[in-house]
Amino acid sequence: MGRIPSEGGVERSLLSWLDGVGWETHGQDGGRGANVLDQAYERDSHEVIYWNLLAEQIVALNENVTEDNVDKFVSSLRRDLDSENLMDGNRGFYRLLDKGKSFSVQRDDGTSETVYVDLIDHENPENNRFHAVNQFSVSRETTIRPDVNLFVNGIPLVTMELKSRAQDNDWHDAVRDLKNYEEDVPRLFVPGLFNVAADTMELRYGSVGAPREFYEPWNDAPEVFADDNEMRQAVRALCNPQTILDLLKHFVFYEKRAGGDAKIVPRYMQYYAVNRILDRVREGEHDRGLIWHTQGSGKSFTMLYAAENLLSRSDVVRNPQVFIIVDTDKLNSQMRDQLANLSLEQWEEAESIDHLQQLIEEGQSQLVLTTIQKFEDVDPDVQGNDEVVVMSDEAHRFMEADLGSRLDAAVPDSTHFGFTGTPVREGERETDKNTFREFSPEGEDYLHRYSVKQGIDDGLILPVYFTLRHEMEWDIDEAGLDEEFEHEFRGMTTDEKREFIQETVTSRTMAELEPRVDRAVAEIDAHYDEHVAPNGWKGMVVTPSRRSAAMYGERLVERRSEDEIEVLYTSNKDDPDLIKQFHTDSEERDSIISEFKDEENPKLLVVHNMLLTGFDAPVLKTMYLDRNLKNHNLMQAIARTNRPAEGKENGEIVDFQGVFENIDEALDYDAETKAYAARDKDELFDDLTDQLETVLSIFDGIPQTDSQEATYEAVERVSTHPERRQFKQGFRRLQNLYEAVAPDGRIVSEGIEDDYKWLSRIHVAFKRTTAGEDDPEEDMREKTRDIIGDNVEITEIKRDFPTYTLGEEYLEEVEGLDNPGVKASQIAHATREHLHPRENRNPRYKRLSERVTDIVERWQGDNISDPEAVEALKSVETEVLAVEKEAEDEGMDAAEFAIYTHLTEETPDAIASDEQAEEVAAEIVSQFQERVDRGYAGWKTNQQTISEIERILLDVLVVEYDLGHLIQDDDDFVDAVRNYLIQNDG
């Protein structure tokens, strides 16, 4: 039988790629690479840094640190790893990696001097040591062993967890493991830059502390790293030593957030765009450039990274003044708040025209935030710094009202970069607005581009689907319409009225007709209840006038409730009562917007000329569009619905104006942008049917009935590779698509609902069987949960697929299952759950855990059959239960028995007899209980605890029993005993 790619295979491939870009790697031979460094630099398993290696490098890199004082420095540095909060510790240690650590050096004349000691040589990267090793094990309160770690001078900067799709795991599972590692042993991640989660086909990276949704791909590379193998390209482009050090030194922000600080590292398009900007400024050949990045890709952070690099890097420009220019007070406030919450220091906001002119005249090297409107009355030729770099946000609007000319006059000697997601190209005449002509040198369309397609492929934005609702059936002779027109057009026939309307009535006029508004509101109300509300999403109604917005608002409030509806537009003193009823001031609007982004009310926003730019609310799924928008304005509107959220498959636009009837006319962009900007809703239905067919094909030959036999057979089929992975991933995608499409009459008429009901039943049984979940249906989306509740007998599934806790009773009960695939899944899950928290409590547990992993990998890799896996796993279970029983029979507590077992089974030749092993174990535990203070939180990881345990072992093994060779000959012995004491709590 041929071998399939395992996690070990992915690990070895990745190490070989790292070796090719400059890392000294260990573990390519399939062994545990960390052991090589552990032995070479005498690392204890509770340490996360190779202190001896780091000490060597610190002496080599810093003339003020010598062999005589380096231990003092390292002792001080160890304390910098101690932190109650991971992000606080990471932020503090980052400053040391970036700027160095202060150290008091004693001179020969008795005086002392404070110097800064570098941990990493950023100016001469070749002076650093770069190691990539696999299976780096750290034991603190528990033991973790990530697959690959990258060390610079012995400091862990990148932690990688790898999965094999051939063994039904993917990068989502790897992220879950990384998040658990951060929680279990946060100390490893205090120095960390970012984490990597990868599987056989895909790679995602995320900053330390990042939630799962912020793990993103690295899908671009310089030519030297370009590769058809996307995984290999990503590893080489992101993880080569030069890029790691560049990211560490120049591309890290910390942002203050309500739930705690966040570490931010750049997305790949941000990183490469910033480097293009730096190259252009450094080379000085052109004085402008256009950054065309689709909305939702993070243009603000691209500008901020560029500003930080321009201000901090003398190799680019000596002493620059950098301007970030926005075109609305709202965007100015957003950017100001962003800057206030970031770790960027040199910046100031221009508070008035006079203040802006003063800042330009002074020319201080800093970032200046301003609106374009403040340049209106700035005097020309007042530039006090000849190294000015300007970055204009929303560059497609920069050319309006001739404000761009005022800017050019104020700072004529500058390099100007435009940033936009929606460039404008109105024509080729000089008087036509053209973002490309304004910002791009001749022969260049853009300096860097990140397209809508790339954003969708990378998962940064969602595809948006549209539904046309503009051809509503209503009679022009309807009483309400007659009444409105009768006064002005008395005497006209119906045909004359129709002709007049076609020639003179605008879309705005139509949007204010009461019968039409009544019909549209009824459509919106029904659509929202059926398609949007069930999964907690929200909607926005876009109108062409304040009057129509008020009309929509009135009727929606009547149909729903005042709490669910908010109407937003500008207010005027002399507004009629209809419009005045929804007046809000800026503070009220800010409050409404903030509440809309939360889970509660309001559910629907009705807007005119508001929130169509710069408004990001992932909870917004559906836009009801009753305004005629085109080109960049339409692109801006589309982007309001495309922000990702958990369980959100797509954005949606319900078009009451017919804007999307001819997408080529509505969007004057290239073919790719048109193709991916918005798609017909029928395409989403086609995606659903295709995905359903893909998932159903896994169960070919199994009858789609609710019988016990069919369910058993289906669960058995998806209990092992490769069907297990296909079902896990396939049903997740299918569920999201079903939630996005339903309700739709075709779901019933084409039999989709029946197929989906059956698959939902199988999914519940599968989750309950393989993951031991009591209520897996709770994880289902709202519409799917309703289907399960109405159509699946949960009690029957519980009876068919019982979940047990490991024990004698389980071993008896599991024999009652006649399906070996199901049986093996249940035993493996129960045994792993039982062993995981116990791995460091006894050497037998660790060996048994490794046996379970080996059995499951061979089973999922089709190297052993279902019955063979069952027998092997049952054998492990019996031994697990025997460990606890034997300790009880011997009259030892858990820690004593663990040390005794280690001495008799791991190092039998090092002791005189089992009796001596029992005496030694009892004495170690006795002194531990007497001498170690365990009465405070954090005692288990405190350095004082670790040091005292080491002293106890010296006292007992060396002084009392003359067993010092145990410590000298076995590097892991002290670590193991320390774990037994701490994990079993004496």
Side-chain angles (χ1 to χ4, degrees):
M1 182 180 293
R3 291 183 60 84
I4 59 171
S6 64
E7 288 180 17
V10 177
E11 194 175 278
R12 290 190 292 276
S13 294
L14 192 140
L15 284 170
S16 72
W17 303 336
L18 292 168
D19 188 77
V21 294
W23 294 88
E24 180 183 329
T25 60
H26 298 282
Q28 287 192 65
D29 59 358
R32 186 179 165 195
N35 281 349
V36 178
L37 292 190
D38 288 352
Q39 293 167 12
Y41 296 103
E42 299 178 321
R43 180 185 74 96
D44 291 334
S45 68
H46 67 279
E47 298 288 4
V48 301
I49 289 176
Y50 287 103
W51 292 110
N52 292 341
L53 169 58
L54 179 58
E56 286 180 11
Q57 284 298 103
I58 287 171
V59 171
L61 299 178
N62 298 273
E63 61 179 358
N64 290 301
V65 184
T66 66
E67 297 287 351
D68 295 331
N69 62 13
V70 69
D71 287 343
K72 178 184 174 184
F73 177 80
V74 167
S75 294
S76 173
L77 187 61
R78 285 174 185 264
R79 292 192 289 273
D80 292 303
L81 288 174
D82 295 329
S83 179
E84 293 293 322
N85 177 277
L86 172 57
M87 199 49 57
D88 289 344
N90 187 269
R91 186 171 191 159
F93 208 90
Y94 170 74
R95 284 194 289 268
L96 306 182
L97 295 171
D98 180 27
K99 307 293 185 186
K101 178 177 172 62
S102 63
F103 182 51
S104 180
V105 177
Q106 298 296 316
R107 299 300 183 195
D108 292 339
D109 61 4
T111 62
S112 63
E113 178 187 0
T114 298
V115 298
Y116 273 85
V117 176
D118 290 329
L119 308 184
I120 292 174
D121 190 339
H122 290 283
E123 293 185 8
N124 304 287
E126 67 277 5
N127 290 338
N128 300 294
R129 295 286 303 279
F130 299 96
H131 290 95
V133 304
N134 67 329
Q135 303 300 307
F136 179 71
S137 177
V138 183
S139 299
R140 306 287 295 179
E141 290 194 47
T142 186
T143 295
I144 63 170
R145 193 166 68 187
D147 292 314
V148 174
N149 281 85
L150 306 185
F151 297 87
V152 177
N153 297 337
I155 302 168
L157 293 186
V158 179
T159 298
M160 301 181 172
E161 187 68 11
L162 312 176
K163 299 296 179 184
S164 169
R165 289 195 178 186
Q167 292 168 224
D168 82 61
N169 293 311
D170 61 15
W171 67 266
H172 294 276
D173 300 291
V175 173
R176 182 199 62 223
D177 289 350
L178 285 165
K179 298 308 296 176
N180 289 336
Y181 295 161
E182 287 183 342
E183 187 173 331
D184 291 341
V185 186
R187 194 179 184 86
L188 173 62
F189 299 89
V190 167
L193 175 60
F194 59 79
N195 302 326
V196 169
D199 57 41
T200 317
M201 302 298 293
E202 294 184 76
L203 175 146
R204 296 292 188 277
Y205 73 104
S207 63
V208 169
R212 188 200 64 78
E213 59 267 26
F214 288 105
Y215 274 72
E216 296 174 353
W218 191 277
N219 282 342
D220 197 4
E223 188 174 344
V224 65
F225 298 128
D227 199 312
D228 290 338
N229 183 329
E230 294 178 0
M231 261 280 288
R232 183 163 56 210
Q233 173 178 285
V235 170
R236 286 157 48 86
L238 171 61
C239 296
N240 67 83
Q242 294 74 23
T243 299
I244 292 287
L245 291 190
D246 191 23
L247 290 168
L248 178 67
K249 181 68 177 175
H250 301 119
F251 287 89
V252 174
F253 283 137
Y254 289 88
E255 184 178 28
K256 296 175 186 173
R257 292 181 180 171
D261 288 2
K263 183 175 189 174
I264 299 171
V265 294
R267 295 165 174 163
Y268 71 86
M269 83 294 298
Q270 294 170 331
Y271 179 71
Y272 291 126
V274 168
N275 279 305
R276 292 275 182 90
I277 290 169
L278 299 179
D279 288 343
R280 177 143 296 179
V281 174
R282 186 187 289 115
E283 293 160 4
E285 182 180 351
H286 298 295
D287 63 357
R288 52 191 172 146
L290 179 65
I291 310 299
W292 180 7
H293 285 188
T294 191
Q295 292 150 308
S297 61
K299 292 192 298 297
S300 295
F301 272 104
T302 306
M303 287 190 287
L304 292 173
Y305 279 123
E308 174 74 355
N309 275 269
L310 288 165
L311 292 167
S312 64
R313 298 178 66 164
S314 57
D315 64 316
V316 178
V317 61
R318 181 177 49 83
N319 198 39
Q321 186 176 35
V322 181
F323 289 86
I324 287 182
I325 301 177
V326 296
D327 72 334
T328 67
D329 289 336
K330 189 71 177 176
L331 290 174
N332 188 81
S333 297
Q334 290 175 0
M335 184 65 80
R336 180 185 63 231
D337 293 343
Q338 188 82 77
L339 282 163
N341 289 326
L342 286 181
S343 49
L344 195 153
E345 297 172 358
Q346 301 167 261
W347 71 278
E348 188 167 356
E349 180 187 6
E351 297 175 355
S352 65
I353 293 173
D354 290 341
H355 187 213
L356 175 59
Q357 178 154 330
Q358 177 189 338
L359 292 171
I360 295 171
E361 290 173 350
E362 292 172 353
Q364 182 178 338
S365 183
Q366 63 178 347
L367 169 60
V368 176
L369 172 64
T370 181
T371 60
I372 185 66
Q373 288 79 10
K374 289 191 177 76
F375 280 92
E376 187 171 5
D377 290 321
V378 170
D379 294 337
D381 296 318
V382 295
Q383 184 173 342
N385 185 327
D386 61 1
E387 296 179 319
V388 170
V389 179
V390 177
M391 291 183 282
S392 294
D393 191 18
E394 301 295 353
H396 59 279
R397 298 202 298 261
F398 161 82
M399 301 157 283
E400 295 173 5
D402 202 33
L403 291 170
S405 300
R406 304 292 299 190
L407 167 62
D408 291 341
V411 284
D413 187 14
S414 64
T415 306
H416 195 173
F417 297 98
F419 289 75
T420 184
T422 52
V424 175
R425 184 187 275 134
E426 292 185 349
E428 298 305 321
R429 296 175 303 174
E430 285 298 318
T431 55
D432 292 329
K433 293 178 184 176
N434 190 315
T435 315
F436 301 98
R437 186 171 60 231
E438 188 70 31
F439 286 98
S440 298
E442 188 173 351
E444 176 183 283
D445 274 348
Y446 44 81
L447 181 61
H448 194 268
R449 184 182 181 190
Y450 183 71
S451 68
V452 176
K453 180 183 184 302
Q454 288 173 295
I456 293 172
D457 289 345
D458 290 344
L460 290 187
I461 58 176
L462 298 175
V464 175
Y465 292 87
F466 63 86
T467 306
L468 289 167
R469 295 288 180 91
H470 64 297
E471 293 183 347
M472 293 187 296
E473 296 179 5
W474 50 277
D475 187 353
I476 200 166
D477 287 320
E478 199 170 326
L481 183 60
D482 270 349
E483 186 177 332
E484 289 194 35
F485 276 84
E486 190 61 31
H487 180 70
E488 292 294 331
F489 307 112
R490 187 179 294 111
M492 281 188 181
T493 66
T494 298
D495 289 341
E496 288 170 336
K497 288 179 185 178
R498 191 189 305 274
E499 184 179 348
F500 178 83
I501 288 171
Q502 290 173 346
E503 292 177 356
T504 63
V505 175
T506 64
S507 60
R508 169 177 170 171
T509 311
M510 297 292 289
E512 294 175 358
L513 295 176
E514 289 195 10
R516 185 181 179 282
V517 172
D518 289 340
R519 178 61 187 273
V521 166
E523 293 264 349
I524 291 169
D525 186 48
H527 183 277
Y528 180 81
D529 277 341
E530 292 181 357
H531 293 268
V532 187
N535 285 311
W537 307 125
K538 297 190 178 184
M540 176 187 287
V541 184
V542 178
T543 66
S545 68
R546 294 188 306 147
R547 176 179 171 80
S548 60
M551 294 172 71
Y552 270 108
E554 274 190 337
R555 287 157 176 78
L556 284 167
V557 167
E558 289 173 4
R559 282 179 169 269
R560 305 190 70 82
S561 75
E562 194 171 342
D563 291 339
E564 288 193 15
I565 311 299
E566 293 286 358
V567 183
L568 299 179
Y569 44 64
T570 54
S571 305
N572 297 324
K573 286 189 301 183
D574 55 352
D575 281 335
D577 291 342
L578 173 66
I579 295 175
K580 193 176 292 184
Q581 65 178 316
F582 294 113
H583 274 193
T584 53
D585 57 33
S586 60
E587 190 173 319
E588 289 172 324
R589 287 194 288 272
D590 287 343
S591 176
I592 289 168
I593 290 168
S594 177
E595 290 169 353
F596 181 79
K597 292 180 179 181
D598 293 333
E599 293 182 5
E600 301 304 320
N601 291 322
K603 302 288 196 258
L604 280 165
L605 292 180
V606 183
V607 302
H608 170 64
N609 274 358
M610 284 190 178
L611 306 187
L612 291 186
T613 60
F615 175 64
D616 290 338
V619 74
L620 173 58
K621 176 180 170 67
T622 302
M623 175 179 288
Y624 301 97
L625 182 63
D626 199 11
R627 181 178 175 185
N628 193 14
L629 299 174
K630 290 192 174 184
N631 294 325
H632 66 280
N633 291 319
L634 180 56
M635 289 289 289
Q636 292 272 359
I638 290 170
R640 302 289 68 81
T641 70
N642 70 5
R643 298 303 191 262
E646 184 68 31
K648 183 178 172 185
E649 182 70 20
N650 62 285
E652 177 183 30
I653 294 180
V654 180
D655 179 9
F656 289 96
Q657 279 287 340
V659 173
F660 290 92
E661 192 170 22
N662 191 331
I663 194 73
D664 287 337
E665 290 183 9
L667 291 173
D668 183 19
Y669 286 102
D670 59 274
E672 182 188 277
T673 301
K674 290 178 183 178
Y676 283 87
R679 309 172 191 179
D680 194 297
K681 187 73 176 283
D682 284 343
E683 293 182 42
L684 191 61
F685 185 84
D686 293 341
D687 289 345
L688 171 64
T689 56
D690 290 346
Q691 186 67 17
L692 180 67
E693 186 176 333
T694 297
V695 179
L696 282 173
S697 68
I698 298 171
F699 303 99
D700 282 348
I702 298 175
Q704 285 179 229
T705 68
D706 287 344
S707 69
Q708 186 262 2
E709 292 85 357
T711 307
Y712 258 128
E713 189 177 352
V715 172
E716 179 186 27
R717 183 167 296 181
V718 293
S719 291
T720 56
H721 161 78
E723 288 84 359
R724 179 186 175 105
R725 170 184 56 84
Q726 293 169 357
F727 186 56
K728 277 173 62 178
Q729 297 175 352
F731 188 83
R732 180 168 54 203
R733 163 85 167 139
L734 177 64
Q735 181 179 213
N736 286 345
L737 284 166
Y738 185 87
E739 298 288 319
V741 172
D744 185 308
R746 293 172 292 181
I747 287 178
V748 176
S749 63
E750 297 185 20
I752 292 172
E753 185 176 62
D754 290 337
D755 290 336
Y756 187 72
K757 285 177 186 176
W758 188 78
L759 288 172
S760 296
R761 172 190 173 83
I762 301 306
H763 188 264
V764 170
F766 167 75
K767 293 286 283 184
R768 183 166 281 124
T769 303
T770 60
E773 295 182 19
D774 288 335
D775 296 302
E777 59 273 20
E778 285 302 309
D779 288 336
M780 300 289 197
R781 310 268 180 248
E782 184 72 27
K783 296 171 189 173
T784 307
R785 199 179 303 136
D786 289 343
I787 279 183
I788 293 171
D790 293 341
N791 297 281
V792 176
E793 289 292 333
I794 300 300
T795 53
E796 181 184 335
I797 291 179
K798 282 183 178 175
R799 188 169 63 250
D800 290 350
F801 300 102
T803 300
Y804 298 100
T805 303
L806 191 66
E808 299 284 1
E809 302 84 2
Y810 177 39
L811 288 176
E812 295 172 7
E813 289 280 359
V814 81
E815 289 302 325
L817 296 176
D818 57 6
N819 184 312
V822 173
K823 191 183 298 187
S825 289
Q826 289 212 29
I827 299 172
H829 174 76
T831 308
R832 278 174 154 170
E833 287 291 298
H834 190 74
L835 280 172
H836 177 67
R838 294 170 170 79
E839 282 186 6
N840 292 322
R841 294 185 185 177
N842 191 290
R844 288 192 196 168
Y845 284 141
K846 181 166 280 190
R847 292 198 301 270
L848 291 168
S849 179
E850 290 169 351
R851 273 178 57 191
V852 171
T853 299
D854 178 65
I855 292 165
V856 170
E857 286 186 358
R858 288 191 292 130
W859 173 49
Q860 292 178 343
D862 289 337
N863 292 316
I864 58 175
S865 65
D866 291 352
E868 288 172 323
V870 169
E871 291 307 311
L873 288 165
K874 280 170 60 180
S875 173
V876 174
E877 276 196 356
T878 304
E879 291 186 50
V880 171
L881 297 173
V883 175
E884 293 169 7
K885 187 173 187 305
E886 188 175 339
E888 203 174 299
D889 293 343
E890 296 291 340
M892 300 183 197
D893 69 20
E896 278 183 68
F897 186 64
I899 298 170
Y900 169 79
T901 302
H902 192 107
L903 290 169
T904 56
E905 296 182 4
E906 303 290 318
T907 60
D909 297 335
I911 55 172
S913 64
D914 288 359
E915 289 74 19
Q916 185 186 45
E918 190 172 344
E919 288 178 23
V920 169
E923 183 62 23
I924 290 172
V925 172
S926 175
Q927 292 207 28
F928 171 77
Q929 291 173 335
E930 183 179 331
R931 292 165 55 175
V932 173
D933 180 6
R934 290 164 288 142
Y936 61 94
W939 71 269
K940 293 184 178 183
T941 56
N942 188 282
Q943 187 63 42
Q944 186 175 343
T945 299
I946 293 166
S947 299
E948 186 61 29
I949 291 173
E950 290 174 356
R951 285 191 287 270
I952 290 170
L953 293 180
L954 288 171
D955 290 345
V956 174
L957 296 173
V958 178
V959 178
E960 293 189 39
Y961 286 93
D962 194 26
L963 293 172
H965 54 278
L966 271 170
I967 299 174
Q968 294 168 350
D969 298 342
D970 187 350
D971 293 337
D972 294 331
F973 181 77
V974 173
D975 289 345
V977 174
R978 183 194 311 110
N979 281 331
Y980 303 149
L981 292 168
I982 290 174
Q983 295 304 315
N984 291 296
D985 198 1

mmCIF file of all heavy atoms in Angstrom, residues 345-360:
data_model
loop_
_atom_site.group_PDB
_atom_site.id
_atom_site.type_symbol
_atom_site.label_atom_id
_atom_site.label_comp_id
_atom_site.label_asym_id
_atom_site.label_seq_id
_atom_site.Cartn_x
_atom_site.Cartn_y
_atom_site.Cartn_z
ATOM 1 N N GLU A 345 4.317 56.881 17.109
ATOM 2 C CA GLU A 345 4.555 57.995 18.017
ATOM 3 C C GLU A 345 4.579 59.362 17.338
ATOM 4 O O GLU A 345 4.031 60.333 17.862
ATOM 5 C CB GLU A 345 5.885 57.769 18.760
ATOM 6 C CG GLU A 345 5.846 56.514 19.643
ATOM 7 C CD GLU A 345 7.203 56.184 20.228
ATOM 8 O OE1 GLU A 345 8.182 56.902 19.916
ATOM 9 O OE2 GLU A 345 7.293 55.211 20.998
ATOM 10 N N GLN A 346 5.227 59.503 16.192
ATOM 11 C CA GLN A 346 5.465 60.821 15.607
ATOM 12 C C GLN A 346 4.309 61.256 14.714
ATOM 13 O O GLN A 346 4.377 61.129 13.509
ATOM 14 C CB GLN A 346 6.764 60.816 14.788
ATOM 15 C CG GLN A 346 8.007 60.444 15.584
ATOM 16 C CD GLN A 346 9.158 60.166 14.639
ATOM 17 O OE1 GLN A 346 9.461 59.018 14.335
ATOM 18 N NE2 GLN A 346 9.814 61.205 14.154
ATOM 19 N N TRP A 347 3.257 61.786 15.286
ATOM 20 C CA TRP A 347 2.154 62.251 14.452
ATOM 21 C C TRP A 347 1.426 63.415 15.107
ATOM 22 O O TRP A 347 1.457 63.592 16.324
ATOM 23 C CB TRP A 347 1.173 61.125 14.147
ATOM 24 C CG TRP A 347 0.333 60.673 15.316
ATOM 25 C CD1 TRP A 347 0.699 59.802 16.299
ATOM 26 C CD2 TRP A 347 -1.008 61.088 15.627
ATOM 27 N NE1 TRP A 347 -0.325 59.624 17.198
ATOM 28 C CE2 TRP A 347 -1.386 60.406 16.807
ATOM 29 C CE3 TRP A 347 -1.916 61.942 15.015
ATOM 30 C CZ2 TRP A 347 -2.644 60.567 17.389
ATOM 31 C CZ3 TRP A 347 -3.170 62.104 15.600
ATOM 32 C CH2 TRP A 347 -3.524 61.423 16.774
ATOM 33 N N GLU A 348 0.761 64.197 14.267
ATOM 34 C CA GLU A 348 -0.008 65.337 14.754
ATOM 35 C C GLU A 348 -1.157 65.580 13.781
ATOM 36 O O GLU A 348 -1.009 65.398 12.569
ATOM 37 C CB GLU A 348 0.886 66.583 14.859
ATOM 38 C CG GLU A 348 0.210 67.761 15.541
ATOM 39 C CD GLU A 348 1.177 68.867 15.923
ATOM 40 O OE1 GLU A 348 2.402 68.692 15.721
ATOM 41 O OE2 GLU A 348 0.711 69.911 16.417
ATOM 42 N N GLU A 349 -2.285 66.020 14.315
ATOM 43 C CA GLU A 349 -3.442 66.331 13.485
ATOM 44 C C GLU A 349 -3.497 67.827 13.218
ATOM 45 O O GLU A 349 -3.343 68.638 14.141
ATOM 46 C CB GLU A 349 -4.726 65.891 14.184
ATOM 47 C CG GLU A 349 -5.979 66.176 13.371
ATOM 48 C CD GLU A 349 -7.264 65.886 14.145
ATOM 49 O OE1 GLU A 349 -7.164 65.580 15.355
ATOM 50 O OE2 GLU A 349 -8.347 65.985 13.541
ATOM 51 N N ALA A 350 -3.715 68.197 11.953
ATOM 52 C CA ALA A 350 -3.918 69.609 11.611
ATOM 53 C C ALA A 350 -5.332 69.998 12.015
ATOM 54 O O ALA A 350 -6.306 69.493 11.467
ATOM 55 C CB ALA A 350 -3.710 69.824 10.117
ATOM 56 N N GLU A 351 -5.440 70.892 12.984
ATOM 57 C CA GLU A 351 -6.748 71.220 13.549
ATOM 58 C C GLU A 351 -7.462 72.345 12.818
ATOM 59 O O GLU A 351 -8.649 72.582 13.045
ATOM 60 C CB GLU A 351 -6.582 71.566 15.029
ATOM 61 C CG GLU A 351 -6.050 70.387 15.847
ATOM 62 C CD GLU A 351 -5.770 70.751 17.283
ATOM 63 O OE1 GLU A 351 -5.901 71.951 17.619
ATOM 64 O OE2 GLU A 351 -5.418 69.862 18.075
ATOM 65 N N SER A 352 -6.749 73.094 11.980
ATOM 66 C CA SER A 352 -7.345 74.206 11.232
ATOM 67 C C SER A 352 -6.469 74.500 10.031
ATOM 68 O O SER A 352 -5.369 73.948 9.884
ATOM 69 C CB SER A 352 -7.430 75.459 12.124
ATOM 70 O OG SER A 352 -6.121 75.910 12.469
ATOM 71 N N ILE A 353 -6.949 75.400 9.160
ATOM 72 C CA ILE A 353 -6.153 75.789 7.997
ATOM 73 C C ILE A 353 -4.860 76.455 8.442
ATOM 74 O O ILE A 353 -3.778 76.163 7.924
ATOM 75 C CB ILE A 353 -6.979 76.736 7.094
ATOM 76 C CG1 ILE A 353 -8.159 75.967 6.474
ATOM 77 C CG2 ILE A 353 -6.100 77.337 6.000
ATOM 78 C CD1 ILE A 353 -9.139 76.843 5.709
ATOM 79 N N ASP A 354 -4.965 77.365 9.418
ATOM 80 C CA ASP A 354 -3.762 78.053 9.907
ATOM 81 C C ASP A 354 -2.777 77.072 10.536
ATOM 82 O O ASP A 354 -1.560 77.187 10.341
ATOM 83 C CB ASP A 354 -4.150 79.129 10.933
ATOM 84 C CG ASP A 354 -4.880 80.300 10.294
ATOM 85 O OD1 ASP A 354 -4.770 80.457 9.056
ATOM 86 O OD2 ASP A 354 -5.566 81.045 11.019
ATOM 87 N N HIS A 355 -3.298 76.115 11.289
ATOM 88 C CA HIS A 355 -2.423 75.114 11.909
ATOM 89 C C HIS A 355 -1.734 74.265 10.846
ATOM 90 O O HIS A 355 -0.540 73.952 10.962
ATOM 91 C CB HIS A 355 -3.230 74.230 12.858
ATOM 92 C CG HIS A 355 -2.399 73.293 13.664
ATOM 93 N ND1 HIS A 355 -2.841 72.037 14.041
ATOM 94 C CD2 HIS A 355 -1.128 73.387 14.143
ATOM 95 C CE1 HIS A 355 -1.899 71.425 14.737
ATOM 96 N NE2 HIS A 355 -0.849 72.220 14.812
ATOM 97 N N LEU A 356 -2.480 73.896 9.794
ATOM 98 C CA LEU A 356 -1.893 73.127 8.708
ATOM 99 C C LEU A 356 -0.772 73.914 8.043
ATOM 100 O O LEU A 356 0.320 73.373 7.794
ATOM 101 C CB LEU A 356 -2.966 72.758 7.679
ATOM 102 C CG LEU A 356 -2.459 72.051 6.414
ATOM 103 C CD1 LEU A 356 -1.748 70.738 6.755
ATOM 104 C CD2 LEU A 356 -3.615 71.798 5.449
ATOM 105 N N GLN A 357 -1.017 75.198 7.782
ATOM 106 C CA GLN A 357 0.028 76.015 7.145
ATOM 107 C C GLN A 357 1.256 76.097 8.046
ATOM 108 O O GLN A 357 2.394 76.019 7.576
ATOM 109 C CB GLN A 357 -0.498 77.421 6.840
ATOM 110 C CG GLN A 357 0.579 78.323 6.228
ATOM 111 C CD GLN A 357 0.017 79.422 5.371
ATOM 112 O OE1 GLN A 357 -1.047 79.269 4.759
ATOM 113 N NE2 GLN A 357 0.715 80.537 5.292
ATOM 114 N N GLN A 358 1.036 76.226 9.342
ATOM 115 C CA GLN A 358 2.153 76.278 10.287
ATOM 116 C C GLN A 358 2.968 74.990 10.245
ATOM 117 O O GLN A 358 4.207 75.022 10.223
ATOM 118 C CB GLN A 358 1.621 76.512 11.700
ATOM 119 C CG GLN A 358 2.685 76.524 12.790
ATOM 120 C CD GLN A 358 2.078 76.540 14.185
ATOM 121 O OE1 GLN A 358 0.927 76.932 14.376
ATOM 122 N NE2 GLN A 358 2.862 76.107 15.155
ATOM 123 N N LEU A 359 2.272 73.849 10.208
ATOM 124 C CA LEU A 359 2.976 72.561 10.163
ATOM 125 C C LEU A 359 3.775 72.409 8.868
ATOM 126 O O LEU A 359 4.900 71.888 8.876
ATOM 127 C CB LEU A 359 1.967 71.411 10.287
ATOM 128 C CG LEU A 359 1.257 71.275 11.642
ATOM 129 C CD1 LEU A 359 0.123 70.253 11.552
ATOM 130 C CD2 LEU A 359 2.251 70.868 12.729
ATOM 131 N N ILE A 360 3.206 72.883 7.741
ATOM 132 C CA ILE A 360 3.914 72.808 6.463
ATOM 133 C C ILE A 360 5.150 73.698 6.493
ATOM 134 O O ILE A 360 6.238 73.309 6.037
ATOM 135 C CB ILE A 360 2.987 73.215 5.305
ATOM 136 C CG1 ILE A 360 1.830 72.206 5.166
ATOM 137 C CG2 ILE A 360 3.758 73.299 3.999
ATOM 138 C CD1 ILE A 360 0.760 72.638 4.194
#
